[in-house]
């Protein structure tokens, strides 16, 4: 990995959101550049809460940042954090009116190794629309980063395997991350389909071993849960630091009829980073 794209946000007025911090750690591990797209995904949202200054009791309440001030603050914090981490950094300033944010993101993601984006509970538009734009418009993976994200370095990674094209794409996109992992677990939720013998998780583990990745295979049944909920339950059980899965891996008609594991994930309170590829 040589160039990682993130759309940074503010966690507080003086702290970057978790996606930017997560991406900086990855960039440092791979000796890669961090590219930050400085923009507002949800224009009009209020500034992050400001910590009260208990030493200045009579001081007037702090004025919230304007939109332009927020973007300036984000850019400044990214530059400072990148310099501190020793990570090369490039800034992309999205200008409203020149073209849609969706198009700007697609154009820039196409020439990067992956995209990261903060998530705050279940995905909603316009943020969900940007996730779908990366999945369907770029051929690049995206990692959804919640507030509880930990480090992938020497962590535990769960691979959701259902022998679809998108699952295979996600697996190959995640190979550089899998090589950093302490433990890799491949899991197949088998209630709804029969897997061809040539596409078993054990075969996948043998393939990963050729990449010097030691993985084990598990079978899971979802029972009364959705497939997405079953995968998140497995991730919690093994204390995974990343879930790797295909994004919208089935035919459109099947998704309309039976639902989609990806849609299940979008509607969940995401608690760990999730790598999606299509």
């Amino acid at each position: 990995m040589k160039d990682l794209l993130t759309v940074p946000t503010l966690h507080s007025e003086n702290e970057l959101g978790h996606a930017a911090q997560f991406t900086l750690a990855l960039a440092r591990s791979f000796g890669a550049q961090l590219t930050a797209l400085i923009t507002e995904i949800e224009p009009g949202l209020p500034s992050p809460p400001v910590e009260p200054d208990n030493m200045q009791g009579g001081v007037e309440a702090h004025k919230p940042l304007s939109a332009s001030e927020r973007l300036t603050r984000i850019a400044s914090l990214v530059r400072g954090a990148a310099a501190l981490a020793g990570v090369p950094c490039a800034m992309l300033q999205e200008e409203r009116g020149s073209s849609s944010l969706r198009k700007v993101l697609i154009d820039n993601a196409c020439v990067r190794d992956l995209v990261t984006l903060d998530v705050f509970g279940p995905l909603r538009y316009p943020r969900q629309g940007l996730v779908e734009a990366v999945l369907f418009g770029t051929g690049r993976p995206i990692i959804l980063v919640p507030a509880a994200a930990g480090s992938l370095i020497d962590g535990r990674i769960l691979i959701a395997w259902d022998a679809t094209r998108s699952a295979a794409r996600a697996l190959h996109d995640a190979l550089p991350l899998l090589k950093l992992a302490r433990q890799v677990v491949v899991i197949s939720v088998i209630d709804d389909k029969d897997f061809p013998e040539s596409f078993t998780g054990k075969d996948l583990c043998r393939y990963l071993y050729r990449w010097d990745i030691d993985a084990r295979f598990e079978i899971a049944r979802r029972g009364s849960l959705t497939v997405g909920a079953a995968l998140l339950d497995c991730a919690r059980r093994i204390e995974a630091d990343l879930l790797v899965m295909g994004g919208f891996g089935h035919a459109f008609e099947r998704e309309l009829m039976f639902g989609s594991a990806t849609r299940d994930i979008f509607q969940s309170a995401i608690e760990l980073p999730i790598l999606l590829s299509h």
Side-chain angles (χ1 to χ4, degrees), residues 44-258:
L45 286 186
S47 295
V50 181
E51 293 293 329
D53 186 350
N54 295 323
M55 301 299 292
Q56 304 291 329
V59 176
E60 183 180 349
H62 186 86
K63 182 181 178 181
L65 296 176
S66 67
S68 62
E69 288 171 333
R70 281 197 298 271
L71 297 182
T72 300
R73 180 67 56 87
I74 289 170
S76 175
L77 290 172
V78 170
R79 288 191 188 94
L84 189 63
V87 171
C89 179
M91 296 289 174
L92 302 172
Q93 191 81 34
E94 189 267 334
E95 298 181 2
R96 291 285 175 184
S98 57
S99 57
S100 72
L101 176 55
R102 182 181 187 278
K103 184 179 187 307
V104 170
L105 182 59
I106 288 174
D107 289 347
N108 285 284
C110 284
V111 290
R112 293 334 187 276
D113 293 299
L114 64 79
V115 180
T116 67
L117 200 65
D118 285 294
V119 290
F120 313 98
L123 275 173
R124 299 285 185 266
Y125 285 91
R127 192 168 294 264
Q128 180 177 330
L130 296 183
V131 174
E132 292 172 352
V134 174
L135 285 176
F136 294 110
T138 72
R140 308 309 305 136
I142 185 167
I143 300 181
L144 311 181
V145 185
S151 172
L152 289 185
I153 312 307
D154 197 33
R156 186 177 287 115
I157 297 180
L158 179 65
I159 301 172
W161 181 248
D162 63 355
T164 59
R165 174 197 174 280
S166 63
R169 181 63 178 266
L171 167 77
H172 286 270
D173 285 339
L175 278 174
L177 305 177
L178 298 177
K179 291 179 71 67
L180 297 178
R182 178 177 77 256
Q183 184 181 33
V184 175
V185 179
V186 178
I187 196 157
S188 293
V189 180
I190 64 171
D191 300 64
D192 299 321
K193 63 184 297 185
D194 294 323
F195 288 84
E197 186 175 345
S198 59
F199 288 96
T200 67
K202 291 181 179 179
D203 287 333
L204 179 54
C205 290
R206 281 192 285 271
Y207 168 75
L208 291 173
Y209 185 75
R210 298 187 186 103
W211 281 88
D212 298 321
I213 297 167
D214 189 13
R216 75 170 193 265
F217 175 57
E218 293 185 8
I219 287 174
R221 295 188 180 275
R222 66 179 181 85
S224 61
L225 298 174
T226 64
V227 174
L231 290 173
L232 292 176
D233 185 63
C234 292
R236 282 189 289 268
R237 175 173 56 80
I238 71 167
E239 298 181 337
D241 299 291
L242 177 73
L243 171 60
V244 173
M245 61 182 289
F248 297 106
H250 300 287
F252 179 68
E253 294 81 2
R254 186 179 187 278
E255 288 181 3
L256 283 178
M257 190 175 301
F258 298 109

